[in-house]
mmCIF file of all heavy atoms in Angstrom:
data_model
loop_
_atom_site.group_PDB
_atom_site.id
_atom_site.type_symbol
_atom_site.label_atom_id
_atom_site.label_comp_id
_atom_site.label_asym_id
_atom_site.label_seq_id
_atom_site.Cartn_x
_atom_site.Cartn_y
_atom_site.Cartn_z
ATOM 1 N N ILE A 61 -84.698 -21.065 -280.722
ATOM 2 C CA ILE A 61 -83.657 -20.507 -279.816
ATOM 3 C C ILE A 61 -84.082 -19.089 -279.425
ATOM 4 O O ILE A 61 -84.488 -18.267 -280.279
ATOM 5 C CB ILE A 61 -82.298 -20.489 -280.500
ATOM 6 C CG1 ILE A 61 -81.844 -21.903 -280.989
ATOM 7 C CG2 ILE A 61 -81.259 -19.930 -279.544
ATOM 8 C CD1 ILE A 61 -80.639 -21.893 -281.855
ATOM 9 N N TRP A 62 -83.972 -18.812 -278.086
ATOM 10 C CA TRP A 62 -84.127 -17.434 -277.667
ATOM 11 C C TRP A 62 -82.909 -17.054 -276.849
ATOM 12 O O TRP A 62 -82.000 -17.830 -276.693
ATOM 13 C CB TRP A 62 -85.471 -17.310 -276.840
ATOM 14 C CG TRP A 62 -85.537 -18.205 -275.603
ATOM 15 C CD1 TRP A 62 -85.092 -17.944 -274.417
ATOM 16 C CD2 TRP A 62 -86.242 -19.447 -275.561
ATOM 17 N NE1 TRP A 62 -85.403 -18.971 -273.592
ATOM 18 C CE2 TRP A 62 -86.083 -19.995 -274.291
ATOM 19 C CE3 TRP A 62 -86.870 -20.239 -276.513
ATOM 20 C CZ2 TRP A 62 -86.597 -21.130 -273.866
ATOM 21 C CZ3 TRP A 62 -87.471 -21.492 -276.119
ATOM 22 C CH2 TRP A 62 -87.296 -21.936 -274.798
ATOM 23 N N ASP A 63 -82.942 -15.797 -276.319
ATOM 24 C CA ASP A 63 -81.703 -15.246 -275.767
ATOM 25 C C ASP A 63 -81.182 -16.138 -274.571
ATOM 26 O O ASP A 63 -80.025 -16.232 -274.359
ATOM 27 C CB ASP A 63 -81.939 -13.854 -275.240
ATOM 28 C CG ASP A 63 -82.176 -12.883 -276.400
ATOM 29 O OD1 ASP A 63 -81.764 -13.231 -277.542
ATOM 30 O OD2 ASP A 63 -82.787 -11.832 -276.167
ATOM 31 N N ALA A 64 -82.120 -16.723 -273.762
ATOM 32 C CA ALA A 64 -81.664 -17.370 -272.548
ATOM 33 C C ALA A 64 -81.893 -18.894 -272.614
ATOM 34 O O ALA A 64 -81.660 -19.633 -271.679
ATOM 35 C CB ALA A 64 -82.452 -16.892 -271.321
ATOM 36 N N GLY A 65 -82.244 -19.435 -273.828
ATOM 37 C CA GLY A 65 -82.414 -20.876 -273.842
ATOM 38 C C GLY A 65 -82.953 -21.299 -275.226
ATOM 39 O O GLY A 65 -82.783 -20.648 -276.254
ATOM 40 N N SER A 66 -83.540 -22.492 -275.188
ATOM 41 C CA SER A 66 -84.064 -23.064 -276.455
ATOM 42 C C SER A 66 -85.129 -24.102 -276.204
ATOM 43 O O SER A 66 -85.241 -24.647 -275.100
ATOM 44 C CB SER A 66 -82.893 -23.766 -277.252
ATOM 45 O OG SER A 66 -82.369 -24.856 -276.554
ATOM 46 N N LEU A 67 -85.862 -24.430 -277.288
ATOM 47 C CA LEU A 67 -86.882 -25.460 -277.207
ATOM 48 C C LEU A 67 -86.687 -26.380 -278.422
ATOM 49 O O LEU A 67 -86.543 -25.903 -279.568
ATOM 50 C CB LEU A 67 -88.289 -24.852 -277.308
ATOM 51 C CG LEU A 67 -89.401 -25.824 -277.612
ATOM 52 C CD1 LEU A 67 -89.680 -26.743 -276.442
ATOM 53 C CD2 LEU A 67 -90.697 -25.041 -277.984
ATOM 54 N N TYR A 68 -86.626 -27.681 -278.195
ATOM 55 C CA TYR A 68 -86.510 -28.662 -279.231
ATOM 56 C C TYR A 68 -87.708 -29.639 -279.129
ATOM 57 O O TYR A 68 -87.951 -30.228 -278.084
ATOM 58 C CB TYR A 68 -85.181 -29.420 -279.109
ATOM 59 C CG TYR A 68 -85.035 -30.528 -280.210
ATOM 60 C CD1 TYR A 68 -84.729 -30.147 -281.518
ATOM 61 C CD2 TYR A 68 -85.161 -31.797 -279.891
ATOM 62 C CE1 TYR A 68 -84.594 -31.111 -282.481
ATOM 63 C CE2 TYR A 68 -85.034 -32.829 -280.837
ATOM 64 C CZ TYR A 68 -84.738 -32.455 -282.147
ATOM 65 O OH TYR A 68 -84.627 -33.433 -283.096
ATOM 66 N N ALA A 69 -88.453 -29.837 -280.211
ATOM 67 C CA ALA A 69 -89.554 -30.825 -280.212
ATOM 68 C C ALA A 69 -89.314 -31.737 -281.432
ATOM 69 O O ALA A 69 -88.938 -31.304 -282.521
ATOM 70 C CB ALA A 69 -90.846 -30.043 -280.338
ATOM 71 N N ALA A 70 -89.644 -33.004 -281.179
ATOM 72 C CA ALA A 70 -89.364 -34.002 -282.268
ATOM 73 C C ALA A 70 -90.386 -35.123 -282.168
ATOM 74 O O ALA A 70 -90.957 -35.453 -281.150
ATOM 75 C CB ALA A 70 -88.005 -34.531 -282.094
ATOM 76 N N ALA A 71 -90.594 -35.743 -283.352
ATOM 77 C CA ALA A 71 -91.343 -37.014 -283.489
ATOM 78 C C ALA A 71 -90.362 -38.052 -283.959
ATOM 79 O O ALA A 71 -89.579 -37.755 -284.822
ATOM 80 C CB ALA A 71 -92.542 -36.812 -284.478
ATOM 81 N N PHE A 72 -90.439 -39.246 -283.369
ATOM 82 C CA PHE A 72 -89.518 -40.263 -283.705
ATOM 83 C C PHE A 72 -90.166 -41.601 -283.875
ATOM 84 O O PHE A 72 -91.277 -41.869 -283.355
ATOM 85 C CB PHE A 72 -88.356 -40.347 -282.636
ATOM 86 C CG PHE A 72 -88.861 -40.683 -281.284
ATOM 87 C CD1 PHE A 72 -89.042 -42.038 -280.910
ATOM 88 C CD2 PHE A 72 -89.137 -39.702 -280.349
ATOM 89 C CE1 PHE A 72 -89.499 -42.403 -279.671
ATOM 90 C CE2 PHE A 72 -89.601 -40.051 -279.095
ATOM 91 C CZ PHE A 72 -89.793 -41.390 -278.732
ATOM 92 N N GLY A 73 -89.503 -42.487 -284.528
ATOM 93 C CA GLY A 73 -89.947 -43.890 -284.754
ATOM 94 C C GLY A 73 -88.768 -44.805 -284.749
ATOM 95 O O GLY A 73 -87.652 -44.445 -285.206
ATOM 96 N N ARG A 74 -88.931 -46.020 -284.240
ATOM 97 C CA ARG A 74 -87.891 -47.003 -284.257
ATOM 98 C C ARG A 74 -88.440 -48.415 -284.478
ATOM 99 O O ARG A 74 -89.443 -48.791 -283.875
ATOM 100 C CB ARG A 74 -87.130 -46.983 -282.910
ATOM 101 C CG ARG A 74 -85.982 -47.944 -282.837
ATOM 102 C CD ARG A 74 -85.235 -47.824 -281.503
ATOM 103 N NE ARG A 74 -86.074 -48.235 -280.401
ATOM 104 C CZ ARG A 74 -86.564 -47.403 -279.460
ATOM 105 N NH1 ARG A 74 -86.345 -46.101 -279.526
ATOM 106 N NH2 ARG A 74 -87.325 -47.839 -278.430
ATOM 107 N N LEU A 75 -87.851 -49.166 -285.452
ATOM 108 C CA LEU A 75 -88.203 -50.547 -285.751
ATOM 109 C C LEU A 75 -86.951 -51.406 -285.455
ATOM 110 O O LEU A 75 -85.900 -51.154 -286.060
ATOM 111 C CB LEU A 75 -88.668 -50.681 -287.165
ATOM 112 C CG LEU A 75 -88.779 -52.136 -287.708
ATOM 113 C CD1 LEU A 75 -89.899 -52.860 -286.905
ATOM 114 C CD2 LEU A 75 -89.150 -52.107 -289.185
ATOM 115 N N THR A 76 -87.135 -52.431 -284.637
ATOM 116 C CA THR A 76 -86.081 -53.424 -284.312
ATOM 117 C C THR A 76 -86.435 -54.814 -284.848
ATOM 118 O O THR A 76 -87.517 -55.255 -284.496
ATOM 119 C CB THR A 76 -85.764 -53.426 -282.808
ATOM 120 O OG1 THR A 76 -85.439 -52.167 -282.368
ATOM 121 C CG2 THR A 76 -84.612 -54.394 -282.539
#
Side-chain angles (χ1 to χ4, degrees):
I61 303 170
W62 57 86
D63 291 340
S66 64
L67 166 71
Y68 178 76
F72 61 86
R74 182 177 66 250
L75 168 64
T76 302

